[in-house]
Amino acid sequence: MSDTRRRVKVYTLNEERQWEDRGTGHVCCSEPDSLTVTGEADGSLLLESKINPDTAYQKQQDTLIVWSEAENYDLALSFQEKAGCDEIWEKICQVQGKDPSVEITQDPGDESEEERLEDMLESGHPLELPPCEPGCLEELEELVMSVLPSPVRREKLALALLSSGYIRKLLQLFRASEEEGDRRGLQQLHQIVRGLLLLNKATLLEVMFSDDCIMDVVGCLEYEPALLQPKSHRQFLTETARFREVIPIRDSELRQKIHQTYRVQYIQDIILPTHSVLEDNFLSTLSSFIFFNKVEIVSMLQEDEKFLTEVFAQLTDEATEDSKRRELVNFFKEFCAFSQTLQPQNRDAFFKTLANLGILPALEIVMGMEDEQVKSAAMDIFSYLVEFSPSVVREFIMQEPQQADDDVLLINVVIKQMICDSDPELGGAVQLMGLLRTLMDPENMLAPASKAEKSEFLSFFYKYCMHVLTAPLLANTGEEDPDLMEGAAKPNPVCPDNFQTAQLLALILELLTFCVEHHTYHIKSYIMTRDLLRRVLTLMNSRHSFLALCALRFMRRIIGLKDEYYNRYIVKGNLFEPVINALLDNGTRYNLLNSAIIELFEFIRVEDIRSLIAHIVDNFSTALESIEYVQTFKGLKGRYEQEKQRQSRGFSRYRRDGRSFQEDEDTWLNEDEEDEGVTDKSKSDYGTFMESEKVKESQDKENQPKRTASGSFKFSFSHSSGAANTANGSKPPPSASSSRAAAPPSGQTARTGLVDYPDDEDEEESADEEQSPRKRPRLGS
């Protein structure tokens, strides 16, 4: 069907009172009393609606027909041409027996029988308006207010106002009254103009919001009777709110439409706040007027490729002045924010146009500039693009030329912006962390066609970007300087007390925890080859409880996977040591940290993770046996004894040679290295890594317990002590505390059950905190 007269868009009104685009097609009357819209793209049926004789149809702005088919189901047809709208309107009126000159066919409200009878008696008589004179304003005010309850009367008043050019006469009277200082008359004009807006007639709005009338309408609305002094809305619109053209708009119609939309939006949001649901319903036509104006503006700007191309050219030109570039970026920011009011189909077309014109390469350039305002606005634009289509952004990122310096990549620029956020509350960093999470989320890469996208993007990210993300974490979790540990009052270099740094590390840990849950072998390889969990657990020493909890949550997610490769890594590195130290240091305080640690061990007991149970009991049972207010640690020991008895009777089905386990682990790491294509500098054999760490540890530190300020002993946190002891088959030196159990030799540690468990569901990290009458003695007390 090529007749453009009947080309329409179908809209429905959602629960938020926003119009949703249901598609574009062609409308016809398939039967004398039925409307049908067929989609122009695939011929699907977009709408089939019977013209009900009792349904109120309303014609707006010459190209809109709006009606309700149910209590909360409103529909609208937006015609491409006025002629098509008139044709369908005539058919609707013919079915309902109405005059096509009316703009509403029925009474949408529930009038009483007396009101219906009165409307019938008056329907044949035109409504007479009082003379447009100062002395008749009170009569006109009463007339306008009296017709509001009756749709038929509102229709008749609107026709009378339009036929006689009454609105312009009324606005002339306003100018005269303002010059004379007639305060009473100005307050009456305020009520009259407000009432005219509540008539909810699109034809009246078109006159009132025209260029020669809208500022006088705003002037009338300044003189609210309840105010001692009039508002200054016109002064704001003409002097404060300046319209800036970053690139001259040659289309005068587009410029006029932008001015009109801004002013009408100001009237709706500032001058006419809704006081009741009744008024909200009366002003529905005003909302529709703004909505369709915005759709038209976006369409006109998209069609003017010369304008947008010129904007992009100046934005990326090195010769452009900083002030000019700031205005250009702010223009795009407002333009993108403006597009959020559009419906999905219009919004998709808008962002596709920007993508085709090169918005992402332009953002990559401006994000690297020193101007903080420009960078902030560019990040806001980037967030709109990510929300619109993460796949489009991912595709661009992977197509970027692989520069020698990874810092020039767009996603690394975003990560650096997050890390260098100057806001003390890190508001921008939180926003950017959410965007990175969206880009890294496999949930929006689940389509079969996106399988390659998931694999390629994650491999790309871990190869070129992960080291940038973890840089602050690694920089703040280095080895402790013994010289700084001599005085207790000196700050701990491992866990800086700076609150902003702690917040940033918490954000990074939150993102890494997300990766553990969703990225399987990519993050597993990264953690093991860099001994990342040991570095994270140094943050258990932080004075900021939220950061210590983030570190604990990271470990909890790893253990929650019940992956024996992770478990072996934890056992080798003796990585429960900082967790138990934190539990003992917490003393008798029953807080969130206490509950979270207890929950971690309770999970291990309930899920019967035998390799971890054996390690905990062999190394820490004596230190933990004094904690009796929960049965968790007794339960762990009981599990351990049961397994030991089964093994001693020769019934264990899960015994496995330690050497074969190590071979499997090395094989997995080698295969993972081939799959990901990670460079040699970021990948190394896990066994070699741990061996080198053992040598370094033996040179730099002694595995001796340290005495805390309270006089009790604390386990020394050595990242490779467990690995070294396991590798050489010797027992570690006993702790100075009698409560510390000796670690088993390598062979004993490897003789643990290897059970295949299904992945557990996400669990809350905090347990219920119940006050126990028993007090927990500190280690060595």
Side-chain angles (χ1 to χ4, degrees), residues 240-350:
T240 306
R242 294 283 186 176
F243 178 65
R244 296 181 180 178
E245 295 182 71
V246 291
I247 301 292
I249 298 176
R250 302 174 183 85
D251 190 338
S252 59
E253 182 182 356
L254 173 59
R255 189 186 300 106
Q256 183 273 333
K257 189 70 69 175
I258 293 173
H259 283 301
Q260 183 189 59
T261 304
Y262 177 81
R263 291 165 180 170
V264 176
Q265 188 83 60
Y266 182 86
I267 291 174
Q268 183 188 51
D269 296 341
I270 306 300
I271 302 179
L272 292 177
T274 301
H275 296 293
S276 66
V277 176
L278 177 63
E279 287 188 1
D280 188 25
N281 292 333
F282 279 145
L283 293 172
S284 61
T285 303
L286 182 62
S287 299
S288 298
F289 185 94
I290 296 171
F291 170 77
F292 289 107
N293 260 20
K294 290 181 177 180
V295 172
E296 190 172 351
I297 290 171
V298 172
S299 299
M300 294 172 75
L301 281 173
Q302 284 179 236
E303 294 169 1
D304 191 354
E305 292 189 7
K306 187 175 181 181
F307 172 80
L308 291 177
T309 303
E310 190 173 349
V311 172
F312 275 109
Q314 292 200 22
L315 184 63
T316 55
D317 188 355
E318 294 182 358
T320 303
E321 295 181 0
D322 291 343
S323 59
K324 181 71 171 181
R325 182 175 285 108
R326 190 180 302 117
E327 291 182 356
L328 290 166
V329 175
N330 286 330
F331 163 76
F332 271 117
K333 176 184 174 181
E334 293 180 13
F335 198 19
C336 292
F338 180 85
S339 71
Q340 298 305 296
T341 62
L342 304 180
Q343 297 311 311
Q345 185 173 347
N346 302 98
R347 192 162 59 246
D348 290 353
F350 168 78

Side-chain angles (χ1 to χ4, degrees), residues 99 142 223 242 312 382 402 766:
D99 184 352
E142 293 175 356
Y223 291 92
R242 294 283 186 176
F312 275 109
F382 181 74
Q402 304 306 320
S766 60

